[in-house]
Amino acid sequence: QQLLTFSKGGEPIKRRVSLGELARAATSFALRGSKVACELSVAPDLWPVEVDEGQMSQVVHNLVLNAVQAMPSGGTIRVRVENVPGGVAPAEGGGRAVRLCVEDHGVGIPADARHRIFDPYFTTKQMGNGLGLASAYSIVRRHGGRIDVESELGVGSRFTVLLPAAEGAVEPRGVERAPRGAGRGRVLLMDDEGSVRRAASRMLARLGFEVVEAGDGAEAVARYGEARDAGAPFCAVILDLTVPGGTGGLEALARLRALDPAVNAIVSSGYSNDPVMADFRRHGFTGMVAKPYRMEDLRDALARATPS
């Protein structure tokens, strides 16, 4: 999966977040079971960044894991997240930036190897696979950022990530959590895989929704029209983006909007590089949920698409 991220990756699904909170969680996860401790420093007035949380968490995780592998006897790494004033941001024209530094006191990187450390499969460590830094580099560049390294043999290494700061405040992690069973209304769920439909239907039922399933876009359109004619319309439709050999989410949405311009359609897909997932509103969807499904993601997507 890391190699795919490096080679073609996935379109970042961005939201405004605190890089400090993201770094705190990813660092804690990467250090589990290791002999390495961490000194984490986060600026109290940290500016938000607009990133794909999953991808950027992978960057932090890989950098911390790289530091752990450089210190096989244990020790302490330093992770620092801070604001950087205008003029040094990685994007053209400068601007404000947020900087993440991961510093270890390990073996260091030989001078003749530093220019290759972001190459896939290149590693100087016995336990490394050469993919962690390569995927981190690819992700940071895809976010308009920059990643650099300073290192000295026997002293340690410091990796620095610069990301453009975002305007505005950090987005809430989701709508206020509703208890299970608090959902109301009928949801039309379209997916070509029966096992996915069954699992998602059980989640939606536990959230309190009545669920009707469809195997492809054509069936979804037919069921949507039948429900409207019967006076039992759907409050939302979840459409799988890609249906091999059938009608996918985009085509189905066009037909649904012809029936009902106010349709609440949520696009669904596995993690992919399809731009629809990254910019779903521009394509006419009111929400997005990635597969594999999590109950809280379904709940949040439906709450946003069907506000009370």
Side-chain angles (χ1 to χ4, degrees), residues 40-215:
L40 177 65
S41 171
V42 178
D45 58 345
L46 193 68
W47 298 322
V49 291
E50 194 167 320
V51 299
D52 183 305
E53 288 183 278
Q55 291 187 10
M56 203 53 61
S57 293
Q58 183 181 336
V59 169
V60 179
H61 182 274
N62 289 351
L63 292 179
V64 172
L65 192 60
N66 180 75
V68 169
Q69 292 172 349
M71 303 169 65
S73 300
T76 301
I77 65 171
R78 295 185 63 200
V79 178
R80 188 172 72 253
V81 190
E82 58 194 359
N83 296 328
V84 181
V88 295
E92 285 187 29
R96 303 189 312 165
V98 176
R99 177 165 53 207
L100 164 75
C101 292
V102 178
E103 185 175 358
D104 66 65
H105 301 287
V107 296
I109 305 167
D112 59 354
R114 286 173 208 156
H115 69 288
R116 297 190 59 197
I117 60 170
F118 297 117
D119 293 348
Y121 292 123
F122 178 80
T123 181
T124 60
K125 300 184 180 66
Q126 188 174 359
M127 296 176 60
N129 59 23
L131 291 177
L133 294 180
S135 61
Y137 176 87
S138 178
I139 291 168
V140 170
R141 290 293 299 270
R142 195 174 299 119
H143 282 79
R146 188 174 75 229
I147 181 169
D148 300 304
V149 61
E150 303 168 70
S151 187
E152 185 177 343
L153 281 178
V155 176
S157 305
R158 179 169 63 224
F159 285 83
T160 302
V161 174
L162 274 175
L163 294 169
E167 299 295 332
V170 170
E171 293 181 38
R173 281 202 62 83
V175 297
E176 191 170 320
R177 295 294 195 233
R180 289 178 182 176
R184 293 289 183 272
R186 307 178 75 224
V187 174
L188 177 59
L189 171 68
M190 185 276 278
D191 196 290
D192 65 306
E193 294 189 35
S195 59
V196 174
R197 291 198 306 272
R198 288 191 294 273
S201 292
R202 286 196 294 270
M203 293 182 187
L204 291 167
R206 291 184 68 185
L207 290 171
F209 293 99
E210 179 186 344
V211 186
V212 175
E213 299 180 15

Side-chain angles (χ1 to χ4, degrees), residues 14 17-18 39 69 96 155-156 173 188 194 259 276 283:
K14 298 180 180 180
V17 303
S18 166
E39 293 180 1
Q69 292 172 349
R96 303 189 312 165
V155 176
R173 281 202 62 83
L188 177 59
L259 288 175
V276 175
H283 294 273

